[in-house]
Amino acid sequence: MDYITGGLTPSRVFKNFEDISRIPRASGNEKELSDYIKKFAQDLNLEVSQDNHYNLIIKKPATNGRPDGCTVMLQAHIDMVAESVDGSNHDFEKDPIDLVVNGNILSAKDTTLGADNGIGVAYIMSILEADDIIHPNLECVLTTSEEFGLIGVNNMNLSSLKSNYVINLDSEEDYCILTGCAGAVDSTISLKKEYKPANTKNVALEINIKGLLGGHSGMDIGKQRGNANVIMGRLLNSISYDFDLFYVNGGSKRNVIPRNAEAVISVSDKNLENVVRQIQKAAAKIHKEIYSVDPNLKVSLRRSAPADFKVFSSDCKAKIIKLLNLIPNGVVSMSTSLEGTVQTSTNFAVVKESDTRIDFINMTRSSMKSEKEMLKSKLSMLAEIFAASIEFGAEYEAWEYNPNSKLEKIAIDVYKKVFSNEPEVAVMHCGLECGILLNKLNHRAEAISIGPNIFDVHSPDEYAEINSIKKIWDYLVDLLKRI
């Protein structure tokens, strides 16, 4: 079998990553990959267990043969975010990821790469199959549906594990050792649909927002990129002429800054030109506002023939537009103790219609529990004002920083030894599984998170630096030897 990554080092890591990239593994569709890794471990005569959620625990004895020695958990999630470029026909339930190597860059053709967290999975597989790496007792935990809200790890039973230290391999900056992360909660505001007959003399106008960068709702939220749902709200609110609203949709996933949105309105033929002009003027202003960080915003307008369809009632239309404009989005507060770190944010992620309602889906992150609760209260009040319902889910608490961590000290010392410079130690404004893992163990343990440089995750522009993948591999091998 030919490998696109053939010749890259560390060869084991790239081979394993390419092998798992051939297996579809979007969140919620992990069984095939979980079964593959289970067999991989069984073929190595390692102890492996798989639960009903397809999470895996694989154990490998210490190379010094001491079962009573230190035990380390290596942890990664096997699912990936499924995003593709506009117009792509890639089927994430069937098609492999088409890897591309260009110099020092590893990417995928037209889709997310899945280095988040496939590289972490490949690291673990490579250590499991190696017979030339010194390491303590290993408990390797591979989880599912992390990108859906840490569902896999939340349903795992880890009470029998003995790990003293947890090394999470889901970070994306090779100069940084993470020692904490934000908690999060999802919310869905649901507005009941109400209709009225359409004016059949009106013409339909399609509004499409495209070209935005999108990105990870935690890592990229502080970059102030455009949010397609927010922009759609502003465009609709800019129209001063009478119009009807037929359809609105935006975003794709709770943890992805929405890149696309679309709406269909209907207006009288005599007002069409003026409405188009107002939308274009508002779009130009927004484009100017975000150009320095998100330069490729495109708002396209297409006239359709008159049609006899139902449109939202005037009251329902007003509520939709107001919610699009009033739902919180972006950075809420910055940390007062960690300079440059986002403390609390919310991502207005998805607007979607069902038969009877319109859902407005948000993801709130915070390393401060009280601020997370404050935002939940605000969203609840907003729902109440508009006679909508609200539901919260996928909630988890922050992984709190431990200032007395022995693992952190070891990790810093090894980093300085391997690279001759100091790492950055930080708390991340993203959801990592460390806090849940530590809470599920029946004893006190410590955790860090490390990983190679990966950019534009959760978007089709995702790429990883090949030399950085080797850098963190070398570091991980030395770290296990030191522990």
Side-chain angles (χ1 to χ4, degrees):
M1 183 182 296
D2 293 331
Y3 284 83
I4 297 294
T5 58
L8 301 181
T9 57
S11 57
R12 274 194 298 246
V13 172
F14 284 103
K15 177 183 180 299
N16 284 322
F17 179 70
E18 188 159 351
D19 282 340
I20 67 174
S21 296
R22 294 188 171 111
I23 302 172
R25 54 188 173 94
S27 300
N29 186 36
E30 303 101 321
K31 182 181 184 303
E32 185 179 354
L33 180 57
S34 180
D35 289 343
Y36 172 84
I37 298 173
K38 179 182 177 181
K39 185 177 185 302
F40 175 89
Q42 290 171 333
D43 289 346
L44 294 170
N45 295 315
L46 298 174
E47 180 183 343
V48 57
S49 62
Q50 182 187 55
D51 66 17
N52 292 334
H53 292 269
Y54 305 111
N55 299 300
L56 296 167
I57 297 175
I58 306 169
K59 298 181 180 181
K60 184 178 182 183
T63 51
N64 62 11
R66 286 187 53 196
D68 58 341
C70 179
T71 300
V72 170
M73 180 191 300
L74 298 179
Q75 193 269 323
H77 63 86
I78 68 174
D79 61 313
M80 65 175 283
V81 166
E83 287 280 299
S84 57
V85 299
D86 296 337
S88 169
N89 60 0
H90 185 93
D91 186 342
F92 282 98
E93 293 189 2
K94 299 177 182 178
D95 299 337
I97 300 299
D98 191 357
L99 300 183
V100 177
V101 175
N102 183 11
N104 187 43
I105 300 302
L106 177 65
S107 61
K109 182 181 179 182
D110 296 338
T111 69
T112 35
L113 172 62
D116 172 17
N117 189 215
I119 294 296
V121 176
Y123 282 156
I124 291 173
M125 293 173 68
S126 301
I127 288 169
L128 289 174
E129 69 179 344
D131 57 11
D132 57 350
I133 294 174
I134 298 170
H135 59 75
N137 297 303
L138 297 178
E139 295 175 334
C140 299
V141 175
L142 297 167
T143 57
T144 57
S145 293
E146 190 267 357
E147 303 289 6
F148 270 179
L150 288 73
I151 293 173
V153 68
N154 268 314
N155 285 281
M156 288 191 81
N157 183 349
L158 304 179
S159 59
S160 65
L161 300 189
K162 301 177 181 179
S163 294
N164 310 101
Y165 298 135
V166 175
I167 301 176
N168 169 278
L169 297 167
D170 192 17
S171 294
E172 285 121 16
E173 294 169 323
D174 68 11
Y175 57 84
C176 187
I177 297 171
L178 294 178
T179 55
C181 76
V185 62
D186 293 348
S187 61
T188 300
I189 295 175
S190 297
L191 182 69
K192 184 179 178 181
K193 286 182 173 180
E194 296 175 352
Y195 290 107
K196 68 177 184 180
N199 184 339
T200 57
K201 295 181 180 180
N202 282 358
V203 294
L205 181 68
E206 299 176 11
I207 307 170
N208 279 282
I209 297 170
K210 295 182 179 180
L212 296 169
L213 290 171
H216 192 293
S217 67
M219 291 175 57
D220 297 322
I221 201 75
K223 297 176 182 177
Q224 301 185 68
R225 292 175 176 174
N227 179 306
N229 293 330
V230 174
I231 293 171
M232 181 60 75
R234 291 180 62 179
L235 295 182
L236 294 176
N237 194 52
S238 72
I239 303 171
S240 63
Y241 293 85
D242 184 53
F243 72 96
D244 288 326
L245 179 63
F246 168 64
Y247 172 77
V248 62
N249 179 77
S252 59
K253 296 174 182 66
R254 50 183 275 289
N255 55 359
V256 177
I257 300 170
R259 297 182 292 125
N260 303 328
E262 55 189 347
V264 180
I265 66 173
S266 66
V267 298
S268 66
D269 192 54
K270 70 175 184 178
N271 288 334
L272 178 61
E273 186 176 341
N274 290 326
V275 168
V276 168
R277 189 179 296 114
Q278 286 185 330
I279 294 172
Q280 290 174 334
K281 186 178 292 186
K285 290 178 181 178
I286 296 168
H287 191 213
K288 184 178 180 180
E289 290 170 7
I290 66 173
Y291 182 80
S292 64
V293 293
D294 213 340
N296 297 317
L297 168 65
K298 294 180 177 63
V299 176
S300 62
L301 305 174
R302 188 172 76 90
R303 175 177 172 166
S304 300
D308 184 12
F309 46 63
K310 294 185 297 183
V311 295
F312 293 117
S313 69
S314 298
D315 182 62
C316 187
K317 179 192 78 170
K319 288 178 178 178
I320 292 168
I321 294 172
K322 288 175 181 177
L323 281 168
L324 287 171
N325 281 276
L326 293 176
I327 288 175
N329 180 73
V331 175
V332 175
S333 68
M334 301 294 291
S335 173
T336 56
S337 56
L338 295 169
E339 185 177 353
T341 299
V342 177
Q343 179 167 281
T344 303
S345 73
T346 185
N347 178 45
F348 182 8
V350 179
V351 179
K352 67 176 183 179
E353 295 188 30
S354 65
D355 290 340
T356 60
R357 68 179 194 268
I358 303 173
D359 291 335
F360 302 82
I361 301 171
N362 314 278
M363 185 177 186
T364 298
R365 302 177 188 267
S366 183
S367 52
M368 186 74 69
K369 183 176 181 180
S370 60
E371 288 195 353
K372 186 178 71 172
E373 294 301 319
M374 174 268 294
L375 273 168
K376 288 174 66 177
S377 295
K378 281 190 172 185
L379 289 164
S380 295
M381 286 186 271
L382 196 60
E384 183 180 358
I385 290 170
F386 291 102
S389 64
I390 187 166
E391 182 176 339
F392 296 101
E395 185 167 9
Y396 56 90
E397 299 304 319
W399 163 31
E400 295 185 2
Y401 175 65
N402 176 6
N404 300 310
S405 170
K406 294 179 181 177
L407 179 58
E408 178 188 330
K409 184 179 184 307
I410 295 170
I412 292 171
D413 289 345
V414 172
Y415 193 100
K416 290 192 291 187
K417 172 179 173 290
V418 174
F419 304 120
S420 301
N421 66 326
E422 290 263 1
E424 180 180 321
V425 177
V427 173
M428 186 184 199
H429 190 65
C430 290
L432 294 173
E433 294 160 291
C434 299
I436 299 171
L437 293 167
L438 294 175
N439 286 333
K440 282 179 172 282
L441 295 172
N442 280 340
H443 55 274
R444 186 172 178 80
E446 300 173 2
I448 61 168
S449 180
I450 58 174
N453 290 336
I454 308 173
F455 301 90
D456 294 323
V457 296
H458 296 188
S459 84
D461 297 322
E462 179 187 358
Y463 69 94
E465 291 181 348
I466 291 167
N467 60 7
S468 181
I469 293 171
K470 180 180 186 304
K471 174 181 177 179
I472 293 301
W473 169 255
D474 292 341
Y475 174 58
L476 178 60
V477 169
D478 269 48
L479 184 58
L480 291 174
K481 188 185 301 183
R482 169 72 181 273
I483 294 173

